[in-house]
Amino acid sequence: MVGRVEKYLLEKIENDGTIHMTLIDPEKVTTSSASRIANDAESCGTSAIMVGGSTSVSASHLDKVAKALKSSVEIPVILFPNNITGITRHADAIWFMSLLNSADPYFLMGAQVLGAPIIKKFGLESIPLGYIIVGEGGAVSVVGKAVPIPYSKPELAAAHALAAEYFGMRFVYLEAGSGVGNPVPADMVRTVKAITGLPLIVGGGIRTGEQVKEIVKAGASIVVTGNVLEENKGKNKIRELVDNMNSQ
Ligand code: 1GP
């Protein structure tokens, strides 16, 4: 069933064309720096805050960060878990994701089976997502035992996205890996977009408004940035990214 947060995202995409989301890695922030980043991002027009990272963090720190975010912003706080330890009750929704090109069944279905009852207990809205790691892949690729899809094989990424659609997943995420040197190329975004009608999320290594513009033009529905906002304090960088979302 499509819940409140998913409806909000779909409506925003419908109205704005493409939306920006801010990723906060609980391991890299304090409660106050997380709130500051989220506040700045919200005031510059980001549409939601995602919370998650590739390596584990203490459950109590995650709880505190998510709680601080919830009380700092009006926009939805959506969990982006790397494992069952990435679930907290202090959020509006969770990307219920399967790492489609993992070689380890744990990341395809194992963690999800363990996490589902917790999500139910916490009353979190669950949004089904096919997660695909491409290019260099970064830490998440190692942790998730992925076989990353090379940038030279966009048709393989498209086949994964189509499989996600046929499974009934409602979003697809092309993940280049947090902090990588080369974000997902426009050509791969375009090839995936051409084959599936699912809203396409693109993230990993995006640092400039120019890169955002290219990815948006290629057909992304959601652009996610994380690292660059932790590195660049203040609102200028977030403004540069968000302003390029719909400047086609
Ligand atoms: C990582 O796609 C996200 O999961 C965001 O990556 O931190 O490089 O922006 P960055």
Side-chain angles (χ1 to χ4, degrees), residues 10-204:
L10 294 174
E11 276 171 22
K12 274 227 119 201
I13 293 167
E14 175 81 28
N15 293 335
D16 300 357
T18 313
I19 61 175
H20 177 265
M21 286 193 193
T22 300
L23 174 65
I24 292 182
D25 182 342
E27 218 165 50
K28 294 187 187 149
V29 291
T30 60
T31 50
S32 59
S33 68
S35 298
R36 181 189 48 74
I37 295 169
N39 266 318
D40 286 352
E42 181 177 42
S43 70
C44 293
T46 204
S47 296
I49 305 294
M50 286 169 43
V51 188
S54 305
T55 43
S56 288
V57 71
S58 86
S60 77
H61 184 62
L62 172 66
D63 275 348
K64 281 182 202 145
V65 168
K67 210 171 177 178
L69 289 170
K70 278 283 293 160
S71 61
S72 309
V73 294
E74 301 280 319
I75 50 177
V77 174
I78 307 173
L79 301 176
F80 183 49
N82 64 318
N83 205 331
I84 52 167
T85 45
I87 309 172
T88 167
R89 67 174 76 242
H90 305 291
D92 298 296
I94 182 165
W95 289 119
F96 194 77
M97 50 206 272
S98 177
L99 175 41
L100 299 181
N101 56 331
S102 177
D104 184 342
Y106 181 77
F107 293 103
L108 288 164
M109 192 58 181
Q112 295 78 353
V113 170
L114 295 174
I118 306 172
I119 292 167
K120 177 96 177 158
K121 187 169 147 205
F122 289 171
L124 292 166
E125 177 183 333
S126 177
I127 310 176
L129 167 71
Y131 191 51
I132 306 166
I133 298 185
V134 298
E136 189 187 317
V140 67
S141 179
V142 177
V143 173
K145 302 194 177 68
V147 182
I149 300 171
Y151 285 156
S152 58
K153 298 283 170 210
E155 69 281 4
L156 270 180
H160 280 72
L162 195 57
E165 181 175 333
Y166 290 165
F167 264 128
M169 292 166 177
R170 298 199 287 265
F171 290 78
V172 166
Y173 196 133
L174 288 182
E175 171 68 85
S178 189
V180 296
N182 298 305
V184 185
D187 175 45
M188 184 175 260
V189 176
R190 215 173 290 117
T191 307
V192 172
K193 189 61 195 175
I195 208 166
T196 170
L198 294 180
L200 179 56
I201 309 172
V202 178

